[in-house]
Amino acid sequence: MTCSRPDYQAAVAKGDARWSELEARLLSNDGDTIPPFDFDDGYVNSFSDERPPINAELWPVVRDQISMANWEYSIITTHEVAGEAPYINYFNTIAGGIFCCDNDKGYDTNDPKYNFSDILFAGYEQCAVRQGQSVSNLRQIWRMHIRNSGTLVIIRAAAQYGSPVDRGEYLEYFPDQSGFKALLGTPNGYAFVGLLKDHALALGRKTIESIRVRDAGDAVMMWATLHPFEAPVQPITPQKQQRRRAKNKQSKEQYSSPSSSNTVPFQGFG
């Protein structure tokens, strides 16, 4: 079912552009261009062992998707101004998960501010050091308790027009569906692409296998399942087939030609 709503079409177009950027980055051999990041340079990251606070309506879904053991609660604040923490997340490098909970750049008083993808990666990297794991085992990125009105509108439009697979407890979207691109085009969806694009090599060239959404009314979450990126196999065009045949024919002719043989003719005994 197609949707002609301008906001939905705009989200699909934005998500399609973001998806193309991610694929181009994963196909590139360039190294990660990560800016120097030091939590002592304007930020403080405080860790504690704490399980994410999952809404009761979301708990059965989360429990079945990822282990609830070994989570680290991360509060990233700025040095100079006391008040609301701009970045609150949960990291688990043993299970390979990130729960993005409350992130509001408006509370970040640093100037300039780091990109959210860099802050998220730096927090996950610190957790990896604490837990003795590699950042490259990341398998899921969660956006918990979504409240952004623009994202919620697109989530509900995608459920109607985006051709999701109904899994009962949640809806699942794949890259060939408009709903997948629409969700990537939302403010909350960009965190998936930004992290994987900006830190592609460190994370082991991961791409998004699917986006899953649980909409329980007042409790809404979406999460991306990841897998290693595989470059698409280039189709063999008729022109390429013709060139291959010509090259093979030439090789056979050279091999069978007497002038190309290194064998000395038998001269007999005597």
Side-chain angles (χ1 to χ4, degrees), residues 26 41 58 63 99 117 130 152 165 169 187 201 220 240:
L26 294 173
D41 182 20
L58 304 179
R63 178 193 59 201
F99 280 1
S117 63
R130 287 168 59 87
L152 292 173
V165 178
E169 293 290 340
L201 296 187
V220 181
K240 185 179 286 188

Side-chain angles (χ1 to χ4, degrees), residues 8 14 36 43 47 55 60 65 70 72 85 151 154 158 174 177 188 193 195 206-207 210 225 232 237 239 241 258 268:
Y8 184 78
K14 185 178 289 187
Y43 295 93
F47 276 111
N55 183 291
Q65 297 291 313
N70 304 305
E72 298 268 1
T151 298
I154 298 303
F174 294 94
Q177 298 165 335
N188 293 89
V193 174
L195 182 64
K206 298 289 175 57
T207 189
S210 71
T225 63
T237 63
Q239 292 82 359
Q241 283 182 328

Side-chain angles (χ1 to χ4, degrees), residues 35 38 49 61 73 93 95 108 120 137 196 214 257:
D38 187 345
D49 297 331
V61 181
Y73 178 45
T93 57
D108 188 339
L120 200 61
N137 69 345
L196 299 177
R214 167 69 173 175
S257 172

Side-chain angles (χ1 to χ4, degrees), residues 18-173:
R18 289 173 175 174
W19 183 244
S20 297
E21 289 175 5
L22 175 59
E23 288 196 317
R25 176 67 189 89
L26 294 173
L27 285 168
S28 169
N29 291 321
D30 295 339
D32 291 338
T33 55
I34 306 172
F37 190 98
D38 187 345
F39 275 115
D40 291 333
D41 182 20
Y43 295 93
V44 177
N45 187 20
S46 303
F47 276 111
S48 63
D49 297 331
E50 185 176 326
R51 195 178 75 183
I54 308 299
N55 183 291
E57 294 174 315
L58 304 179
W59 169 248
V61 181
V62 176
R63 178 193 59 201
D64 292 341
Q65 297 291 313
I66 194 167
S67 170
M68 284 292 99
N70 304 305
W71 285 92
E72 298 268 1
Y73 178 45
S74 165
I75 302 179
I76 298 176
T77 57
T78 54
H79 271 304
E80 298 180 0
V81 180
E84 294 288 341
Y87 310 107
I88 299 176
N89 301 287
Y90 292 80
F91 302 115
N92 187 338
T93 57
I94 296 173
I98 295 175
F99 280 1
C100 303
C101 287
D102 291 298
N103 295 278
D104 189 339
K105 229 172 182 178
Y107 294 122
D108 188 339
T109 58
N110 287 327
D111 186 20
K113 300 174 176 61
Y114 280 105
N115 291 329
F116 176 58
S117 63
D118 296 325
I119 290 173
L120 200 61
F121 176 79
Y124 189 68
E125 188 175 41
Q126 278 198 341
C127 180
V129 172
R130 287 168 59 87
Q131 296 184 333
Q133 301 293 319
S134 168
V135 295
S136 64
N137 69 345
L138 182 63
R139 292 188 288 273
Q140 294 182 355
I141 308 172
W142 297 68
R143 298 306 307 255
M144 306 297 296
H145 309 302
I146 294 172
R147 295 184 292 272
N148 183 287
S149 59
T151 298
L152 292 173
V153 166
I154 298 303
I155 281 177
R156 279 145 196 174
Q160 185 175 358
Y161 302 108
S163 306
V165 178
D166 190 343
R167 303 296 190 191
E169 293 290 340
Y170 58 88
L171 300 179
E172 187 167 21
Y173 300 83

